[in-house]
Amino acid sequence: MSSTRTSSGPSTSYGSSADVPRGRGRALGAWCAGLLFAGVSAVVACRAADTDAMTPMPQLLAFLPWLLVPTGAGLLLSLLARWRTGLLWGVLVLGPLAWFIEPYGNTDEPRGLAVVRLRVLASNVEFGWATDALVTAVRRERPDVVFVSECEYGCQATLRAELGTALPYRQAVEGDTSVGSVILSRYPLTPSPVVPGVMGMPGAVADVDGRPVRLQLAHPQPPLPRQVTVWKRELGRLRDFADDHRDDGPLILAGDFNASQDHAAFRRILDTGLRDAARLAGSGREPSWPSRTTPAFGTQIDHVLVSGEFSAGRARFLDLPRTDHRSLLVDVTLHQARQARRAR
């Protein structure tokens, strides 16, 4: 009886205790990988369906390129768990995700002669806190046109006093905190109707050496959890504005869009024929927000969009203290429109 206890018991118990934790670990790895793939798949499906859906999709779509991280983690977990279905799932998600990371929009270059070069700066000064830093940047970079978001009363007074000589023309919507916005210009401005929104979005027509150039500041409501509908509506108004002026000559639409190219509402603005100047200059994916983690991590929601009469040269993102946005500085060139051929 004693020999039976010593020969059969230990071998059976040791095999069982080793297999159980290994099996549980693989099951846990597969379960975690499935959760990662499910989340990424939902976001990619919204991108493929050309919809921003509802919270939390707009917030997640803003960081779509970074979804490569959970996708890679899911593939690793699937490999360790020997979960073949998960490996296939991950590969199927990775394909469209990589495709959508490619910059969106038209990049055709104008063929007319170059007639005027402009330096454009778009800056969100976060409730006016970065006003002094903006003044320093403007004096250093010497832009011809500046779009300033979240420029409250004090900010506007400072810009008027400090930059009134270099940029004497202005068109503003006055307001406190994030409501105030202003366009500053070296060229004379004729006011045009504002685009309605919770925050100010002024517009004007600049007389650029005898050539009218329409300027419009963009600052729609951010897609906060309970404000997604407002965000979509205001981006839709900017899209309607761009479409209404599609054939009216040169247009620059710039500012804090609170949207990236991975948002359907922003892509519809590009679909009117506008091009993203940062993308034309080779910086289509460089993040502008939040400035505290850029350029290592973030998303590009500050844009300078131009009509087909413009080409774009250098684009730079400036780090200003005391604001959560990086300012976008681009050099654009206005080209002469081609003359229509006369009928024979």
Side-chain angles (χ1 to χ4, degrees):
M1 292 180 62
S2 61
S3 61
T4 302
R5 286 194 299 267
T6 56
S7 61
S8 61
S11 61
T12 302
S13 61
Y14 288 154
S16 175
S17 62
D19 291 340
V20 169
R22 186 181 298 116
R24 289 178 178 173
R26 290 177 179 174
L28 178 61
W31 185 80
C32 292
L35 285 179
L36 292 173
F37 291 147
V40 174
S41 297
V43 179
V44 171
C46 286
R47 177 64 178 82
D50 198 31
T51 179
D52 295 318
M54 61 185 68
T55 300
M57 288 306 162
Q59 295 83 2
L60 293 174
L61 281 165
F63 298 94
L64 185 137
W66 299 99
L67 295 182
L68 289 171
V69 175
T71 303
L75 285 169
L76 179 60
L77 288 171
S78 298
L79 181 63
L80 294 175
R82 300 180 184 178
W83 184 33
R84 295 181 180 179
T85 302
L87 290 172
L88 178 61
W89 189 357
V91 170
L92 291 176
V93 170
L94 189 62
L97 180 57
W99 174 264
F100 291 138
I101 288 175
E102 287 296 310
Y104 182 88
N106 184 12
T107 58
D108 293 342
E109 290 286 335
R111 297 181 181 179
L113 295 176
V115 291
V116 179
R117 289 179 173 82
L118 298 173
R119 177 163 288 185
V120 180
L121 177 64
S123 181
N124 182 319
V125 292
E126 193 175 7
F127 311 137
W129 295 338
T131 302
D132 291 340
L134 176 62
V135 169
T136 301
V138 168
R139 288 174 174 168
R140 181 181 67 247
E141 304 295 342
R142 299 184 178 181
D144 301 296
V145 181
V146 182
F147 298 83
V148 190
S149 305
E150 299 194 18
C151 185
E152 42 73 66
Y153 298 111
C155 166
Q156 295 198 20
T158 298
L159 295 182
R160 187 184 300 110
E162 299 294 333
L163 301 177
T165 301
L167 301 168
Y169 303 100
R170 60 192 302 274
Q171 187 63 32
V173 172
E174 295 187 352
D176 201 5
T177 60
S178 63
V179 175
S181 294
V182 61
I183 300 173
L184 304 175
S185 173
R186 184 167 68 88
Y187 301 98
L189 296 178
T190 300
S192 60
V194 302
V195 174
V198 174
M199 296 178 287
M201 293 191 281
V205 177
D207 182 354
V208 181
D209 297 341
R211 298 173 178 84
V213 176
R214 187 172 296 275
L215 308 175
Q216 177 61 50
L217 187 145
H219 194 203
Q221 182 81 349
L224 301 175
R226 296 184 180 181
Q227 299 293 328
V228 171
T229 301
V230 178
W231 170 74
K232 290 180 181 179
R233 181 168 62 244
E234 294 187 359
L235 283 171
R237 289 172 180 167
L238 290 171
R239 186 266 174 201
D240 293 342
F241 166 85
D243 191 53
D244 290 342
H245 297 284
R246 184 195 295 256
D247 301 319
D248 291 350
L251 166 65
I252 300 176
L253 174 60
D256 171 14
F257 285 78
N258 281 309
S260 75
Q261 69 166 42
D262 298 306
H263 290 115
F266 180 75
R267 291 194 301 277
R268 293 186 184 111
I269 298 175
L270 296 177
D271 289 342
T272 65
L274 296 180
R275 287 97 49 75
D276 194 317
R279 184 201 172 181
L280 296 178
S283 301
R285 281 293 186 182
E286 185 169 349
S288 65
W289 177 89
S291 62
R292 293 170 183 82
T293 58
T294 58
F297 176 79
T299 180
Q300 188 178 123
I301 61 175
D302 299 270
H303 308 275
V304 173
L305 307 185
V306 295
S307 57
E309 295 88 350
F310 288 96
S311 61
R314 188 181 182 189
R316 288 180 288 153
F317 287 87
L318 309 179
D319 295 304
L320 304 186
R322 303 194 68 191
T323 175
D324 57 346
H325 288 255
R326 302 171 81 196
S327 299
L328 173 57
L329 182 72
V330 295
D331 294 324
V332 299
T333 301
L334 176 62
H335 293 253
Q336 187 175 17
R338 289 180 295 171
Q339 299 291 332
R341 293 183 179 180
R342 295 181 180 179
R344 293 181 180 180

